[in-house]
């Protein structure tokens, strides 16, 4: 069940300069809430982040900072959270039009003293992608 869908702002570092601050679209899905027809998942909180226009930084470049902030702000146990970057499909090019398909990539972190560090990226598995697409289909 989708439990949150808003713009999320993260503060950077560097005091007043706000280096690496930005914003993204943040959607949080809780697989344990809903109509009761669910499987038990080790990581039942899906945190879906997407780049939005006007942000100074990309989600990918600040994933650890975002994961740390979201876990703290929303009181999510990092062991139960799966951070997923969603990139919608895009068409680009001049004479030759090219298509970039939509992508769902998972960031696996090492957690050290409450902070997400060293993200390792991989594509979201097809079964979980289907579940997530179903949860987000109306957003």
């Amino acid at each position: 069940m989708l439990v949150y869908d808003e713009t999320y702002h993260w503060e950077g570092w560097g005091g007043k300069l706000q280096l690496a601050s930005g914003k993204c679209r943040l959607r949080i899905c809780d697989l344990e809430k809903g109509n009761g027809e669910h499987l038990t998942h080790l990581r039942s909180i899906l945190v879906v982040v997407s780049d939005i226009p006007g942000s100074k930084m990309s989600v990918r470049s600040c994933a650890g900072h975002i994961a740390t902030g979201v876990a703290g702000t929303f009181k999510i146990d990092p062991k139960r959270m799966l951070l997923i970057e969603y990139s919608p499909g895009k068409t680009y090019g001049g004479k030759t039009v090219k298509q970039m398909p939509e992508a769902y990539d998972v960031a696996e972190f090492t957690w050290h003293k409450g902070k997400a560090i060293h993200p390792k990226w991989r594509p979201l598995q097809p079964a979980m992608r289907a579940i997530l697409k179903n949860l987000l289909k109306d957003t």
Side-chain angles (χ1 to χ4, degrees):
M1 162 183 260
L2 183 66
V3 295
Y4 186 86
D5 186 359
E6 298 287 335
T7 299
Y8 177 75
H9 299 265
W10 68 88
E11 293 183 15
W13 49 86
K16 291 181 182 180
L17 296 177
Q18 290 296 293
L19 302 173
S21 63
K23 59 186 176 179
C24 65
R25 183 174 184 191
L26 172 66
R27 292 175 281 183
I28 301 175
C29 299
D30 187 341
L31 297 177
E32 293 182 359
K33 293 183 179 179
N35 61 9
E37 298 177 20
H38 63 273
L39 298 171
T40 301
H41 296 273
L42 293 175
R43 294 190 182 181
S44 60
I45 306 296
L46 306 180
V47 175
V48 183
V49 292
S50 301
D51 288 323
I52 59 174
S55 182
K56 295 185 266 181
M57 299 296 292
S58 71
V59 166
R60 176 105 16 166
S61 67
C62 293
H65 204 66
I66 296 167
T68 300
V70 168
T73 300
F74 294 95
K75 310 283 188 271
I76 300 171
D77 179 355
K79 295 175 191 156
R80 307 278 293 149
M81 178 174 90
L82 192 63
L83 186 113
I84 302 161
E85 178 190 27
Y86 169 68
S87 301
K90 293 180 185 177
T91 302
Y92 67 95
K95 293 179 181 178
T96 305
V97 176
K98 298 188 179 193
Q99 180 76 27
M100 286 179 53
E102 70 178 357
Y104 294 86
D105 294 315
V106 175
E108 299 283 349
F109 298 98
T110 299
W111 287 84
H112 179 71
K113 296 183 180 180
K115 298 198 183 303
I117 59 174
H118 306 300
K120 292 185 177 139
W121 294 93
R122 64 173 172 79
L124 184 63
Q125 295 296 318
M128 185 58 79
R129 185 173 58 238
I131 291 169
L132 181 60
K133 286 178 93 167
N134 189 46
L135 290 168
L136 300 177
K137 68 181 172 194
D138 296 327
T139 63

